[in-house]
Amino acid sequence: MTPDERRFTAIYDAYRQNVWAYAAARAGRQAADEAVSETFAIAWRRLADVPDPALPWLLGVARNVLRDGHRARVRRESSAAELSRAARPAGDIAEDVAERLAVLRAMAALPEADREVLILIAWQGLTPREAAEVVRCSPAALRVRLHRARRRLLRAAEREMAGEREPGGARRQVGIVSEEMS
């Protein structure tokens, strides 16, 4: 056994339980097993960087491993949610394009303040509280502005679509407005 192998084995034997307990307290038993494995794999690769005593360094590595695992899980869940939204029933592509163009033209016709609120909420994904911080108003005032902006956008989009009528003369609903603005 080489000196590096002896040192690593000593570190592993001395601190494995501490690292596992830390990870289990933060993320549960199953994640703890994975975090311990990854933590000690990193310790082996960076053995020259491991200080004495090793526990604080190992716990910092475990913290980063858990954080990176959480980020990866959030990205996977976000991607899955995005795919499920995109997998709506296939309709007429021309209708979808016409609706999107109508909404974009309607957005362009709105006052700048309305566009800003709608973009912050619908396209940037901010909560009303976060959007209120951006535009420097109270969350209650932002909700009122958002409600009014949505109403104006819907009316403007319906005017854009007014030339397109369903059989029987009924006006088409602009579904994209309610989907993307909710």
Side-chain angles (χ1 to χ4, degrees), residues 97-113:
V97 169
E99 282 185 12
R100 286 191 183 276
L101 288 173
V103 170
L104 291 173
R105 283 192 301 266
M107 282 286 287
L110 291 177
E112 176 61 30

Side-chain angles (χ1 to χ4, degrees), residues 111-158:
E112 176 61 30
D114 286 351
R115 276 196 313 269
E116 181 179 31
V117 170
L118 291 168
I119 288 170
L120 288 172
I121 298 291
W123 292 346
Q124 296 301 318
L126 297 183
T127 65
R129 181 174 299 284
E130 293 166 334
E133 289 178 30
V134 172
V135 298
R136 298 184 188 271
C137 69
S138 72
L142 189 278
R143 284 185 184 91
V144 170
R145 288 177 61 183
L146 178 61
H147 173 74
R148 290 176 180 163
R150 283 177 174 160
R151 239 182 21 219
R152 285 191 278 269
L153 177 61
L154 183 58
R155 282 195 306 265
E158 286 176 344

